Amino acid sequence: MSCQIPLKTPLETPLPSYEPPQNGILSRLPHVCIPYAELMRIDKPVAFLYLYFPCIFGTLLAAILSDPVIPLPRLLQINLILVLGCFLVRCAGCTWNDIVDQDIDRQVSRTRNRPLARQAISTPAALTFTLVQVLLGLGLVWLLLPLPCLYYSVPSMILTGLYPFAKRFTYYPQLVLGCVFSWGVILAFPAFDIDLYSNPQAMKAALSLYFSCIAWTMSYDTIYAAQDIKDDLRAAVKSPVVRHRGHTRRLLFGAILTQLALLPYTGVVMEATGIYFLGTCVGAGVILGREVSSVDLADPKDCLWWFNNGCLYTGVVISSGFGGEYLARIGWISVPPLGRMW
């Protein structure tokens, strides 16, 4: 099968040429650094949060299932390391994505002014930049986390490399992206020296949470992809919005229902109290239901608003349930007599 994505028709309306940023963090950088900062998407932190939230969920779950429960200072220390790791992984992934997709990016209104698409950086320079970021990320894992984390990082790196090619062969590249963005759930356990293979309870809870995060990725990135539906159709780019044109909302409801089914199962496996079920399961249900029923998939601005804000709302409510459960396990808050449900 050919990997070429033909340009079917030219852009309907010529867009203005690239102009250097006049405000925000990019405007404060030296001119020579701006293209590299744009490759890293340092001015767009939402995708970083989508990558980091599964790390929060995973570390809290692992801390709860550890015997004894992981103390708060250690939990915070691991999360600080994962913040740095997520930053590097996300930056490297964005750079690699732009290298692979530069020809497609020139055909899409939203992305045609990215550094490689406008030829502000050469491909060899971008490849070198990607390699530096990858090596920094691996060095961070090797130096600051237990050795098994290095082995657990390999599948995520492979999937990150494959993701940009997914849209050439499948209408569901979000599933590949979800496997990458949700990997923090799995990595959290070896970060605390918990062997998933010898701990059936931890394995079941981790896999349930991992797949719920993949379903979450499927919903929010489909909303994000809806911004580019016209350009994707013109450039023959595959996406679930293209595949389910006119019925995308049904797909979104299917994704969030899958997520909302797996989150309670995770709670059952970890023998959670009502704090988790109320904060994580009910809270996520309210936010995700409102998001999917309210988003105007025909309006790119509304899709972007829900992509940006839905991340924060959903991530915070899911974290609140896990966080409350963790605080109850270490004795910082008391659980009512009827709070333990299993």
Side-chain angles (χ1 to χ4, degrees):
M1 183 181 292
S2 173
C3 288
Q4 296 296 321
I5 297 185
L7 176 61
K8 291 191 170 182
T9 60
L11 289 172
E12 297 173 359
T13 305
L15 297 180
S17 59
Y18 172 79
E19 294 183 2
Q22 302 300 315
N23 49 55
I25 187 172
L26 293 179
S27 65
R28 301 179 182 181
L29 297 176
H31 187 268
V32 70
C33 296
I34 291 177
Y36 292 94
E38 289 175 328
L39 281 178
M40 297 168 68
R41 312 281 202 276
I42 64 172
D43 59 326
K44 298 175 181 178
V46 173
F48 163 77
L49 291 175
Y50 275 123
L51 183 62
Y52 178 56
F53 269 126
C55 295
I56 297 177
F57 309 157
T59 52
L60 286 168
L61 176 63
I64 290 168
L65 292 177
S66 178
D67 186 17
V69 176
I70 301 295
L72 184 58
R74 177 62 174 163
L75 177 64
L76 296 176
Q77 179 190 27
I78 291 296
N79 269 276
L80 178 59
I81 296 170
L82 291 176
V83 165
L84 298 174
C86 285
F87 175 77
L88 291 170
V89 168
R90 190 255 176 153
C91 292
C94 288
T95 306
W96 173 244
N97 185 79
D98 284 8
I99 292 171
V100 176
D101 279 352
Q102 54 185 297
D103 292 335
I104 299 175
D105 286 344
R106 295 187 184 101
Q107 303 175 32
V108 178
S109 303
R110 182 177 55 84
T111 61
R112 65 177 304 188
N113 279 325
R114 285 178 175 173
L116 282 162
R118 69 175 192 269
Q119 299 182 331
I121 300 176
S122 68
T123 299
L127 284 169
T128 302
F129 189 50
T130 303
L131 180 60
V132 169
Q133 294 173 91
V134 170
L135 291 176
L136 286 173
L138 288 175
L140 180 76
V141 173
W142 181 45
L143 293 173
L144 301 180
L145 292 175
L147 184 59
C149 290
L150 190 61
Y151 308 141
Y152 274 82
S153 299
V154 172
S156 176
M157 292 181 61
I158 294 173
L159 289 170
T160 300
L162 293 176
Y163 166 67
F165 300 99
K167 64 176 68 72
R168 292 158 168 80
F169 300 106
T170 175
Y171 284 102
Y172 305 100
Q174 284 74 13
L175 293 177
V176 180
L177 183 67
C179 291
V180 175
F181 270 47
S182 306
W183 198 254
V185 172
I186 305 299
L187 192 63
F189 286 83
F192 291 123
D193 292 310
I194 298 174
D195 181 11
L196 288 172
Y197 293 98
S198 63
N199 189 327
Q201 182 188 26
M203 176 66 86
K204 287 192 292 185
L207 289 177
S208 175
L209 182 58
Y210 177 64
F211 286 116
S212 79
C213 288
I214 293 175
W216 185 31
T217 308
M218 188 70 192
S219 66
Y220 70 65
D221 203 62
T222 297
I223 291 173
Y224 187 75
Q227 299 177 92
D228 300 327
I229 179 64
K230 293 181 180 179
D231 291 329
D232 285 351
L233 287 170
R234 180 168 45 241
V237 173
K238 292 179 170 65
S239 80
V241 185
V242 172
R243 177 66 178 83
H244 298 272
R245 195 170 16 146
H247 306 285
T248 305
R249 203 176 304 274
R250 296 180 187 175
L251 176 67
L252 293 175
F253 272 113
I256 67 167
L257 287 174
T258 301
Q259 180 183 2
L260 294 174
L262 289 168
L263 286 175
Y265 179 73
T266 304
V268 172
V269 173
M270 70 175 182
E271 301 178 344
T273 68
I275 296 174
Y276 168 83
F277 289 98
L278 180 62
T280 291
C281 302
V282 176
V286 171
I287 297 298
L288 291 168
R290 174 66 185 278
E291 177 179 352
V292 171
S293 61
S294 300
V295 62
D296 184 353
L297 295 169
D299 183 353
K301 291 183 178 179
D302 196 54
C303 291
L304 183 60
W305 190 93
W306 277 107
F307 174 79
N308 289 336
N309 293 279
C311 166
L312 190 60
Y313 299 153
T314 307
V316 167
V317 296
I318 294 177
S319 299
S320 70
F322 276 109
E325 185 70 25
Y326 172 77
L327 293 177
R329 298 293 180 102
I330 64 174
W332 280 35
I333 59 177
S334 59
V335 181
L338 296 179
R340 187 163 294 281
M341 301 183 67
W342 309 97

